[in-house]
Amino acid sequence: MAENVIEFNDQNFDSDVLEAGTPVLVDFWAVWCGPCKAIAPIVEEIANDYNGKVKVGKMDVDRNNQVAMRYGIRSIPTLLVFNNGEVVDQVIGNVGKESIESMLNKALS
Amino acid sequence: MHRKVIIIGSGPAGLTAAVYAARANLEPLVFEGSQPGGQLTITTDVENFPGFPDGIMGPELIEHMRKQAVRFGATCEYKTVDRVDLLSSPFTIWVKDKKYTADTIIISTGASARLLGLDSEKELMGYGVSACATCDGFFFKEKEVLVVGGGDSAAEEAIFLTKFASKVTIIHRRDELRASKIMQDRVFDHKRIEIMWNSSLDDISGTKDSGVTGAMIKDTVSGDTKKISCDGVFMAIGHIPNTSVFKGQLDLDDKGYIITKPDSTYTNIPGVFACGDVQDQTYRQAVTAAGTGCMSAIDAERWLEEN
């Protein structure tokens, strides 16, 4: 079910996210975060819907705090959209599928 | 799309209503809304839900309820209702431009954290301003934070935040806490919690890049203001019911809660039922929400039989 959701970490972030050839959606989360659990199935759906067009992955902030600190994450879930190595859009909190889709559609257009 | 029962909201009230309606073969459709699972998903351990002697994590409890509802034929969709027409039958619900009709509607949209309404609060929400200590406390290791409020949830958040923060200051408008005695004692005894009495938060400084850097605190007695530095601000000043979409159609009380007929979940519109925190400002527990959720499904089932 989650096969299209990649696990990002501090080590692979630069190569897998910043240097990716497509837009990338990164879901910053942690196991103790309730809203993150609520948003996880939505992120999985998005990963399947946008398979091949957008890379979708999760970043556990507990185990990978370097990237979370670099982007000033102070609340989770935070979803960042990267394109060509830059943050092009972001949402904080459990915002619903449509808001995420509209971010991705904008990044793809 | 037409359904016999549409449930708006997916906390313990809505999901319990879904379990009961599904078991009555009413094939309910649940719109999960902008915070699927509701307030339980921003809690950690739930220690007072009967049947779980060792406690259970809020999100896990919700997941169990959702699975239970789906097992009996409920459909749960991650959609948020934008507009309703409850004044003509069948009732109509719009999600963006998509239209759904239903013979009965169960409203379980719950309540959300109240905010102060400051521009800076809105601007910095998620950048150091938070309404959920359990979600965001982690990012304030060895930092100084404020908790605004004086009730049980403010006390709970303050105590929780001491796991991470070097100093927690409670900003409270009055000279005594509303929190229960046991929570007050825990707050007063805690070395890293300070209380600023008779104080209100007037403004928050910071930027999205820097995060929160300070706050303007007003003395509610003298009216004097002073600036203090802090890295985070947690709001715990109560809740507001999520009823804006029903305004002008359903009878609401002066605080915006849906008014239900005594000993039932009936609203002023026959066929529309309300359960959980959206109609309860007294108990506000997961188990009472589940209880009224059950009532609403039974009310809806009987109403469908009779009409």
Side-chain angles (χ1 to χ4, degrees):
Chain A
M1 188 168 73
E3 61 200 26
N4 293 322
V5 180
I6 303 159
E7 292 250 348
F8 296 129
N9 55 47
D10 282 346
Q11 287 71 44
N12 70 16
F13 182 82
D14 286 9
S15 59
D16 285 17
V17 175
L18 300 184
E19 291 159 24
T22 61
V24 188
L25 177 72
V26 184
D27 170 13
F28 290 85
W29 73 290
V31 285
W32 39 262
C33 160
C36 300
K37 288 207 176 80
I39 207 172
I42 302 174
V43 171
E44 279 173 23
E45 278 181 36
I46 296 254
N48 295 334
D49 295 350
Y50 285 81
N51 190 15
K53 289 189 287 185
V54 174
K55 210 165 168 180
V56 176
K58 302 175 69 150
M59 187 88 178
D60 181 341
V61 297
D62 257 341
R63 285 185 290 170
N64 306 284
N65 62 16
Q66 285 173 28
V67 170
M69 272 173 63
R70 198 196 305 174
Y71 291 96
I73 307 292
R74 289 183 192 83
S75 178
I76 50 173
T78 288
L79 304 180
L80 300 185
V81 180
F82 289 86
N83 206 359
N84 302 317
E86 304 276 331
V87 177
V88 293
D89 224 332
Q90 61 176 298
V91 288
I92 294 173
N94 193 345
V95 292
K97 194 174 176 187
E98 289 126 18
S99 309
I100 304 171
E101 285 171 341
S102 77
M103 281 200 308
L104 297 182
N105 293 341
K106 208 166 86 191
L108 286 167
S109 63
Chain B
M1 186 193 282
H2 182 81
R3 293 273 180 144
K4 284 184 188 136
V5 180
I6 288 182
I7 298 168
I8 310 177
S10 57
L15 292 176
T16 304
V19 169
Y20 274 78
R23 281 176 50 85
N25 285 328
L26 297 172
E27 299 172 327
L29 171 61
V30 182
F31 289 120
E32 299 220 25
S34 57
Q35 193 184 344
Q39 291 179 68
L40 271 187
T41 62
I42 58 171
T43 60
T44 50
D45 255 347
V46 180
E47 295 181 327
N48 54 12
F49 201 90
F52 298 92
D54 302 320
I56 180 166
M57 297 296 276
E60 199 183 341
L61 179 58
I62 282 293
E63 199 44 46
H64 286 331
M65 292 183 188
R66 187 185 285 115
K67 275 191 190 143
Q68 196 174 352
V70 168
R71 178 182 153 208
F72 295 112
T75 316
C76 295
E77 295 198 4
Y78 292 114
K79 287 178 177 157
T80 302
V81 170
D82 294 308
R83 195 152 62 86
V84 297
D85 177 4
L86 307 178
L87 303 178
S88 54
S89 186
F91 306 120
T92 313
I93 288 173
W94 285 268
V95 174
K96 296 263 159 71
D97 294 330
K98 199 166 175 200
K99 205 167 134 179
Y100 299 80
T101 54
D103 298 324
T104 62
I105 290 181
I106 293 174
I107 298 171
S108 52
T109 47
S112 301
R114 178 189 292 280
L115 299 175
L116 291 168
L118 305 168
D119 288 342
S120 52
E121 172 190 48
K122 197 174 167 194
E123 165 84 13
L124 296 168
M125 183 57 71
Y127 299 90
V129 178
S130 171
C132 176
T134 51
C135 313
D136 302 335
F138 172 80
F139 299 101
F140 296 86
K141 278 181 192 152
E142 298 305 314
K143 308 263 183 179
E144 299 194 357
V145 300
L146 309 182
V147 172
V148 184
D152 268 336
S153 57
E156 270 167 38
E157 300 233 321
I159 292 162
F160 179 81
L161 285 166
T162 59
K163 286 206 233 174
F164 307 100
S166 54
K167 185 179 163 196
V168 178
T169 306
I170 294 177
I171 307 293
H172 185 44
R173 300 171 61 88
R174 286 173 246 287
D175 58 4
E176 57 181 3
L177 297 180
R178 276 178 291 109
S180 57
K181 183 74 174 58
I182 180 167
M183 295 307 289
Q184 292 201 25
D185 289 346
R186 285 186 200 169
V187 165
F188 296 147
D189 290 346
H190 206 292
K191 284 192 193 76
R192 269 180 291 145
I193 300 178
E194 263 182 37
I195 305 180
M196 283 180 77
W197 301 107
N198 299 316
S199 300
S200 66
L201 181 76
D202 261 22
D203 201 15
I204 305 164
S205 35
T207 63
K208 285 192 172 166
D209 285 333
S210 68
V212 167
T213 55
M216 192 65 85
I217 306 295
K218 184 170 151 188
D219 186 312
T220 56
V221 179
S222 68
D224 296 343
T225 56
K226 66 171 173 184
K227 191 163 180 191
I228 59 173
S229 65
C230 63
D231 308 293
V233 178
F234 290 81
M235 299 298 168
I237 49 171
H239 296 88
I240 43 170
N242 300 318
T243 50
S244 55
V245 77
F246 311 111
K247 233 169 234 162
Q249 303 190 45
L250 279 183
D251 284 351
L252 308 177
D253 72 9
D254 54 357
K255 287 182 184 153
Y257 287 86
I258 296 176
I259 299 171
T260 49
K261 302 217 165 100
D263 305 319
S264 79
T265 62
Y266 279 73
T267 66
N268 62 305
I269 299 178
V272 178
F273 306 90
C275 53
D277 283 10
V278 76
Q279 52 85 57
D280 169 20
Q281 46 186 315
T282 310
Y283 305 104
R284 303 186 298 118
Q285 302 300 304
V287 67
T288 53
T292 54
C294 159
M295 287 163 63
S296 69
I298 293 174
D299 284 345
E301 186 189 356
R302 292 190 182 151
W303 190 86
L304 283 166
E305 278 167 13
E306 289 161 13
N307 289 276

